[in-house]
Amino acid sequence: VKSNSAGFTIPELEIEVTQGSLGGMYTTVEGLLQLAKESLFSGTARDFATGDSADDDIRERFDNLEKKFDQVLEGSLGFTLELKDPLACSFIYSPTAPEPEPRLEVVDYERSFDDNEELGLNDMNTENYEVLDGSSPAPAAAPAPPSKPVIDLDEGSFDGPFETFQGARDGMVFRLGAKGLGYYEDLVRTNDYSEPSVQQ
């Protein structure tokens, strides 16, 4: 698995594929090399290196590089594939796992300042959440008001049932509830459930 944040180099061919240039993919070493070869030796890149305006020396070096690439893909030229992923999101399957793979070397390293800069990590503030200009951090948000208690509107006194509305009654609400159609005690009005004030 080659993530989008991974790049690779092949010292024997003196080539470097920077991170993000080929995108993320699930592939084999051969598939990765084939994709790099197609990107390098076809389309616009080849036109610039081998076109009429290209220097003879550059054209010759480009042709030699393509021949070496073919030898690598055929297996007739040994090579080293160095995969570098600053976010550690790539994975190389080992057929000998959990035993070590003699052809595979894993190297842990600390990202450089340039690596962090390219990933946008140098501008991230992870300590005390202070603003970068040195001023005081933003004030904490006001605490949330306490939640209202849950009440059962069918509790309290009841007068009924009635088939029709009998007129307004102080402290009572005419509605259909668990006890039928009638007058239920207005518990919301009886108890003080108004919004509490928040101290600033």
Side-chain angles (χ1 to χ4, degrees):
V1 178
K2 176 198 170 297
S3 75
N4 193 50
S5 60
F8 65 89
T9 59
I10 303 177
E12 292 81 3
L13 301 181
E14 298 181 352
I15 68 168
E16 176 182 3
V17 177
T18 58
Q19 61 187 47
S21 56
L22 292 180
M25 66 188 73
Y26 180 79
T27 184
T28 62
V29 171
E30 181 182 5
L32 187 61
L33 294 176
Q34 189 66 46
L35 182 59
K37 179 178 182 290
E38 291 174 0
S39 300
L40 186 61
F41 298 104
S42 63
T44 307
R46 184 175 188 85
D47 293 340
F48 277 114
T50 62
D52 294 339
S53 61
D55 185 88
D56 291 339
D57 181 53
I58 294 178
R59 186 183 297 110
E60 182 179 355
R61 290 170 58 190
F62 198 78
D63 290 339
N64 289 336
L65 178 61
E66 186 174 13
K67 291 177 183 177
K68 284 186 177 181
F69 231 115
D70 289 335
Q71 292 173 355
V72 165
L73 288 169
E74 293 167 359
S76 59
L77 177 64
F79 70 97
T80 304
L81 178 67
E82 298 179 356
L83 185 67
K84 180 180 178 183
D85 190 343
L87 292 182
C89 294
S90 298
F91 170 77
I92 299 178
Y93 168 74
S94 171
T96 63
E99 299 300 322
E101 161 64 67
R103 298 172 299 172
L104 180 63
E105 180 184 2
V106 179
V107 178
D108 293 326
Y109 69 97
E110 185 173 345
R111 284 191 300 264
S112 66
F113 179 88
D114 291 336
D115 288 334
N116 289 335
E117 184 70 19
E118 193 165 340
L119 294 168
L121 300 178
N122 288 332
D123 296 329
M124 291 180 65
N125 181 24
T126 59
E127 297 181 1
N128 301 324
Y129 298 98
E130 296 178 354
V131 293
L132 296 178
D133 61 5
S135 59
S136 301
S147 60
K148 297 179 181 179
V150 178
I151 59 174
D152 185 354
L153 296 178
D154 291 328
E155 290 183 354
S157 60
F158 171 74
D159 186 13
F162 296 103
E163 293 184 359
T164 59
F165 180 62
Q166 303 297 311
R169 297 186 185 181
D170 189 41
M172 305 293 284
V173 177
F174 185 78
R175 63 180 179 81
L176 178 62
K179 300 174 184 178
L181 184 64
Y183 291 88
Y184 291 81
E185 182 180 356
D186 188 358
L187 297 178
V188 175
R189 183 178 174 188
T190 303
N191 297 278
D192 183 13
Y193 293 116
S194 59
E195 294 284 349
S197 60
V198 178
Q199 298 293 330
Q200 297 292 336

